[in-house]
Amino acid sequence: SGKVAAKAAWEDTVAVNAAQAVMEELLACRLSGSEHLDQPKGFPGAPGYTYTYAVETYQPDERLLRVRVTVYYQHQGHQRQLDLVTLKRKGR
């Protein structure tokens, strides 16, 4: 059971790092507030990994933009997901 727990922790860490990388890339560019990826995308340069991600933005008011990155992955045959959400001032 220790190996299973260690593998789950490793998979979770990879998912967090992947979500953070996508979020950093999104925050570095100007977002319009209409970004939405319905179909999960694979991570470039990660052959053999089953991690995919989707991006959703929502504009709660004229100044703020909520950005959500969802990473999907498998663990012991079960679909898992991790959400990373932040707010960004629009146009910056």
Side-chain angles (χ1 to χ4, degrees), residues 10-24 43 51 71 82 84:
W10 180 82
E11 290 169 343
D12 292 343
T13 300
V14 171
V16 169
N17 288 336
Q20 184 66 41
V22 171
M23 183 68 76
E24 292 293 329
F43 287 97
Y51 294 83
V71 175
L82 174 124
L84 186 61

Side-chain angles (χ1 to χ4, degrees), residues 43-88:
F43 287 97
Y49 288 92
T50 57
Y51 294 83
T52 58
Y53 72 95
V55 174
E56 178 184 356
T57 60
Y58 169 72
Q59 189 172 349
D61 64 35
E62 68 276 353
R63 294 175 299 148
L64 290 177
L65 190 63
R66 184 187 75 188
V67 182
R68 176 191 307 253
V69 176
T70 303
V71 175
Y72 303 95
Y73 58 106
Q74 295 282 324
H75 176 70
Q76 294 188 334
H78 294 34
Q79 177 79 18
R80 296 185 72 177
Q81 77 179 51
L82 174 124
D83 292 317
L84 186 61
V85 181
T86 193
L87 291 173
K88 179 180 180 182

Side-chain angles (χ1 to χ4, degrees), residues 14-37:
V14 171
V16 169
N17 288 336
Q20 184 66 41
V22 171
M23 183 68 76
E24 292 293 329
E25 186 176 323
L26 289 170
L27 294 178
C29 68
R30 289 186 175 263
L31 298 170
S32 67
S34 61
E35 287 79 6
H36 187 80
L37 300 173

